[in-house]
Amino acid sequence: MDSKRGDEATSKTSDDGDIASVMGFSGFGKKARTFDLDAIFEQTRRTAIERSQRVIEERKKEIEMEEEGESSKSVKPSVQSQREKAASSRLQKSDSSSDSGSDSDSDSELIGPPVPPQHAAQQGDDDDDDEHVGPPLPPGYTGSTAHSDDDDDEEGEAQDDDDDNPVKKIPDTHEITLQHGTKTVSALGLDPSGARLVSGGYDYDVRFWDFAGMDQALQAFRSLQPCECHQIKALQYSITGDVMLVVSGNAQAKVLDRDGFSVMECVKGDQYIVDMANTKGHTAMLNCGCWHPKIKEEFMTCSNDGTVRTWDLNSEKKHKSVFKPRSFQGKKVIPTCCTYSRDGKLIAAGCQDGTIQIWDRNLSVHTRFHCRQAHTPGSDTSCLSFSYDGTMLASRGGDDTLKMWDIRNFRKPVNGVSGLTNYFSMTDCCFSPDDKLLVTGTSVKKDEGNGKLVFFDRISFQRVYEIDVTNASVVRCLWHPKLNQIMVGTGNGLVKVYYDPVKSHRGAKLCVVKSKRKEKHAEALTQDYIITPHALPMFREARQRSTRKQLEKDRLDPKKSHKPEPPVSGPGRGGRVAAHGGTLSSFIVKNIALDKTDDSNPREAILRHAKEASENPYWIAPAYTETQPEPVFAEESEDEEPDQEPEWKKRKI
């Protein structure tokens, strides 16, 4: 039995050795050890007592050796005294712990010889100066640390000043100019990511600008007229950026996708119904529109029919809800601008009678806040904008004022400034991303100065900064929070983008670094060329070596290089009416209008060709030369009375 057990043990050890060589560690098949904590603590206590007794015995021996004069085995008195104190304290504590039977007190004490005083002092210094890394500085040297601390303090103060001063955060060091057209840019829109910009104007065009795809030529990649011959009033991307709202001068708002294709068109209401709440849509020109900040399928429009309507993207046949602004007498007033609050729970509208009316989004009957004399009656309030914290409302009036309102106390404005000329019904105002500045534009007449972008402090409402944009009015302004760039639409067809290479991100910085692409001339065969390598020399055509040389020869030929005149057709484009149509009737009318001959006297017109016909007969006279009788006329004598009938009339043929 013993031999078998020995064989099994040897086989197991050999197997464990093989596994250990493969896995890299050993100990397979062993049971886990169990520990008795009480026994361990008791053993530790006994070891401490024995060690302390040993130290006391060594001390006694050292004292005896000093008395005998053996200096080689003496110890320093300081260390000796420390050891005596430590040993006595440990002995007393160990005795007290053994008497009381408590193990926790003995465990908390240090085991071993005491710490030297120099090391203890060094630890205390390290605890005091945790920030300094490395060897200690020599005594009396404090220059570098004091200097570095002062520099850090100065840099921290400068950084705090930059953080506290919102003017230094304005990105106006660089700018690019996008040429939209020649007429007023009345609408601007940026998607939430800031990658794509859209601009609309009085020339009915909507242009798409892609910052990542543009180069230094700064050309729009798409231009279209979504609403035919209607001016664009507002453009805005939804919160997801996949669709865009287009508000124009007609009664039907449109929703386009990112590429400009139509997704939805609002229905037009019945203009013969008196109560506008009973119609399915607007019946008059639109003034403004915007998307809901939280719900991606909902948007809002206001119109000259005196209503503010909300719409659902999935149901285009009818509006979602109707809000009807009313004057103090209960009469209908026209809303000129509208907006949602930042949380989407409130709807605000500025009206032509100078009032600002705010409704709860779910209650369309009565207003929640109503200010009767916000602006001058009869002036168009051009813009309403909520602050990012949702407590303040800024209004840009047609009476050349800019006012700040507190929603919690809506009776009178918190601040206001006048003298900001406004000639447009869509002049913008917006808050800075940090909510400390308020921005708006000013209008100017032609050749009477420059339009400016003016910045006001939100709290003090002082004019803290301004930018001279161009020699035309500043209509639209947009400060994107992610890009930290300011987009400005002007009255002369320009879109300016202001940015800072350090403070701004992406946007205009992507396209200014790209060089202009070289124009690629497409080289194509001028005519079909059949390659027949085995044809006889008399039937073989000359091979075209280069199309460029052929194109240069064709350029010298006046017939080939002449561009044909395009026909004038269609209703016109860009506000221009065509000279005439392409029909036959219009062509005849045009030629008749160009005929300047005067045929008022028909006899003179006929006799004008009598002499030439008699001298050079061509049609009638040659045909009757042989059969034409000779005319016989009687000569009138002087003696004949004038009343007497001539002789040739008396003859009968």
Side-chain angles (χ1 to χ4, degrees):
M1 292 293 290
D2 295 336
S3 63
K4 290 183 179 179
R5 291 177 180 174
D7 297 338
E8 291 178 358
T10 55
S11 65
K12 286 183 179 179
T13 54
S14 63
D15 294 340
D16 293 343
D18 297 338
I19 296 175
S21 63
V22 174
M23 301 297 292
F25 56 90
S26 61
F28 297 97
K30 294 182 180 180
K31 294 183 180 180
R33 295 180 60 186
T34 58
F35 299 94
D36 189 358
L37 297 179
D38 296 334
I40 294 173
F41 291 152
E42 183 65 24
Q43 182 67 26
T44 305
R45 187 176 65 82
R46 290 177 181 176
T47 305
I49 294 172
E50 293 175 357
R51 188 173 295 176
S52 60
Q53 290 177 355
R54 192 181 304 136
V55 170
I56 293 173
E57 291 177 358
E58 290 178 356
R59 180 180 57 82
K60 290 180 180 179
K61 290 180 180 180
E62 289 175 356
I63 293 172
E64 292 175 357
M65 293 168 68
E66 285 180 358
E67 291 176 355
E68 293 176 357
E70 296 179 357
S71 60
S72 60
K73 295 183 179 180
S74 63
V75 294
K76 294 181 180 180
S78 61
V79 177
Q80 181 179 353
S81 61
Q82 287 182 1
R83 287 181 178 179
E84 289 177 359
K85 292 179 181 179
S88 60
S89 63
R90 288 197 191 97
L91 183 59
Q92 292 176 1
K93 290 182 180 179
S94 63
D95 294 338
S96 63
S97 63
S98 62
D99 295 337
S100 62
S102 61
D103 298 332
S104 60
D105 295 338
S106 62
D107 296 336
S108 61
E109 295 297 326
L110 294 175
I111 299 172
V115 180
Q118 295 179 356
H119 186 66
Q122 187 175 359
Q123 285 184 348
D125 296 338
D126 293 340
D127 294 337
D128 296 337
D129 301 333
D130 290 336
E131 298 179 356
H132 297 286
V133 179
L137 295 173
Y141 182 77
T142 58
S144 62
T145 57
H147 183 67
S148 62
D149 293 340
D150 294 340
D151 292 343
D152 294 340
D153 295 340
E154 291 177 359
E155 291 178 359
E157 292 176 359
Q159 188 174 3
D160 293 340
D161 293 340
D162 292 344
D163 294 339
D164 295 337
N165 190 2
V167 179
K168 295 185 178 180
K169 296 182 181 180
I170 298 175
D172 65 330
T173 58
H174 294 69
E175 68 175 70
I176 62 172
T177 303
L178 309 177
Q179 184 69 43
H180 173 85
T182 57
K183 297 187 178 180
T184 302
V185 177
S186 56
L188 283 178
L190 260 175
D191 65 343
S193 64
R196 188 164 290 184
L197 171 70
V198 289
S199 61
Y202 281 6
D203 55 356
Y204 325 132
D205 287 341
V206 174
R207 295 182 182 270
F208 293 76
W209 315 82
D210 191 359
F211 289 118
M214 282 194 303
D215 55 9
Q216 291 182 359
L218 303 178
Q219 296 294 326
F221 73 92
R222 181 164 290 126
S223 176
L224 51 92
Q225 292 184 355
C227 301
E228 296 178 352
C229 297
H230 293 282
Q231 295 176 353
I232 307 299
K233 296 294 186 71
L235 295 171
Q236 187 179 11
Y237 277 96
S238 64
I239 56 173
T240 56
D242 54 347
V243 289
M244 178 183 63
L245 175 64
V246 180
V247 177
S248 63
N250 61 356
Q252 296 172 274
K254 282 189 176 183
V255 178
L256 309 179
D257 61 2
R258 289 181 63 87
D259 296 324
F261 296 101
S262 179
V263 176
M264 170 194 170
E265 184 176 10
C266 297
V267 67
K268 188 175 182 180
D270 189 354
Q271 57 186 350
Y272 296 103
I273 296 178
V274 177
D275 189 2
M276 288 292 103
N278 295 329
T279 60
K280 297 180 180 179
H282 289 294
T283 60
M285 180 184 72
L286 299 177
N287 291 323
C288 188
C290 60
W291 287 94
H292 193 280
K294 301 294 183 182
I295 304 173
K296 65 178 182 179
E297 293 90 3
E298 182 180 330
F299 62 92
M300 173 175 56
T301 55
C302 65
S303 170
N304 278 357
D305 60 2
T307 61
V308 178
R309 300 175 190 262
T310 59
W311 304 81
D312 192 351
L313 189 61
N314 299 321
S315 60
E316 60 182 7
K317 294 184 178 180
K318 191 178 180 181
H319 60 258
K320 194 173 181 180
S321 59
V322 181
F323 302 87
K324 294 186 289 186
R326 289 289 181 263
S327 64
F328 182 72
Q329 294 83 9
K331 296 181 180 180
K332 179 179 73 172
V333 293
I334 296 176
T336 57
C337 60
C338 59
T339 185
Y340 282 101
S341 61
R342 294 291 176 178
D343 56 1
K345 295 180 180 179
L346 299 178
I347 289 177
C351 304
Q352 274 188 345
D353 61 345
T355 62
I356 297 177
Q357 304 182 25
I358 302 178
W359 297 268
D360 194 331
R361 175 177 165 271
N362 298 322
L363 300 174
S364 60
V365 180
H366 300 289
T367 57
R368 185 171 178 180
F369 305 103
H370 198 149
C371 184
R372 297 290 180 187
Q373 297 178 352
H375 293 280
T376 305
S379 63
D380 293 344
T381 303
S382 60
C383 182
L384 294 176
S385 178
F386 280 90
S387 61
Y388 285 94
D389 56 9
T391 60
M392 308 299 288
L393 175 68
S395 62
R396 182 73 163 97
D399 54 355
D400 302 343
T401 60
L402 177 66
K403 296 183 180 181
M404 181 84 74
W405 307 84
D406 193 342
I407 299 298
R408 297 160 293 188
N409 186 12
F410 202 60
R411 294 181 179 179
K412 58 181 181 179
V414 178
N415 284 309
V417 63
S418 60
L420 303 174
T421 311
N422 184 8
Y423 295 149
F424 295 88
S425 61
M426 64 280 297
T427 302
D428 261 337
C429 65
C430 63
F431 286 88
S432 61
D434 58 358
D435 231 5
K436 294 182 180 179
L437 296 176
L438 184 61
V439 190
T440 188
T442 61
S443 302
V444 293
K445 292 184 179 180
K446 189 176 181 180
D447 299 332
E448 290 188 5
N450 293 337
K452 297 180 180 180
L453 196 64
V454 190
F455 297 81
F456 295 92
D457 186 83
R458 173 183 166 178
I459 299 175
S460 64
F461 228 64
Q462 297 293 325
R463 182 182 293 196
V464 295
Y465 197 71
E466 63 181 22
I467 300 175
D468 282 340
V469 181
T470 184
N471 57 350
S473 302
V474 176
V475 182
R476 288 287 187 179
C477 61
L478 187 64
W479 197 336
H480 198 272
K482 288 187 178 180
L483 301 182
N484 193 24
Q485 298 178 12
I486 303 175
M487 285 70 180
V488 179
T490 64
N492 56 355
L494 301 180
V495 178
K496 292 205 170 188
V497 182
Y498 292 91
Y499 68 97
D500 190 295
V502 179
K503 303 171 186 176
S504 302
H505 309 283
R506 298 177 62 82
K509 293 171 62 179
L510 299 177
C511 57
V512 295
V513 297
K514 295 181 180 179
S515 59
K516 293 184 179 180
R517 299 170 185 168
K518 295 182 180 179
E519 297 181 358
K520 296 182 179 179
H521 297 283
E523 294 188 357
L525 296 176
T526 56
Q527 60 184 358
D528 294 336
Y529 179 68
I530 301 174
I531 300 175
T532 55
H534 302 293
L536 296 174
M538 60 184 302
F539 300 109
R540 192 177 301 166
E541 297 181 3
R543 186 174 181 180
Q544 295 181 355
R545 297 293 179 184
S546 175
T547 57
R548 186 170 59 86
K549 292 183 179 180
Q550 185 66 28
L551 290 174
E552 291 176 355
K553 291 181 180 179
D554 293 342
R555 177 59 62 191
L556 299 176
D557 190 354
K559 291 184 178 180
K560 291 184 178 181
S561 62
H562 178 68
K563 181 180 178 181
E565 297 293 336
V568 181
S569 61
R573 180 182 174 87
R576 295 180 293 106
V577 181
H580 62 83
T583 60
L584 177 61
S585 60
S586 62
F587 179 76
I588 294 173
V589 170
K590 177 185 176 183
N591 289 338
I592 290 175
L594 292 176
D595 190 6
K596 300 299 180 67
T597 56
D598 186 14
D599 293 339
S600 59
N601 192 346
R603 185 173 182 278
E604 291 182 357
I606 295 172
L607 294 179
R608 187 168 56 236
H609 308 284
K611 183 177 180 181
E612 184 180 358
S614 61
E615 292 178 355
N616 300 315
Y618 184 76
W619 296 106
I620 306 300
Y624 294 97
T625 52
E626 296 181 357
T627 60
Q628 181 68 21
E630 295 182 1
V632 177
F633 299 105
E635 295 181 359
E636 184 178 358
S637 60
E638 296 178 359
D639 298 337
E640 282 185 345
E641 296 179 0
D643 295 337
Q644 187 178 359
E645 189 176 1
E647 188 67 24
W648 61 274
K649 286 187 177 181
K650 295 180 181 180
R651 295 180 182 179
K652 294 182 180 180
I653 300 173

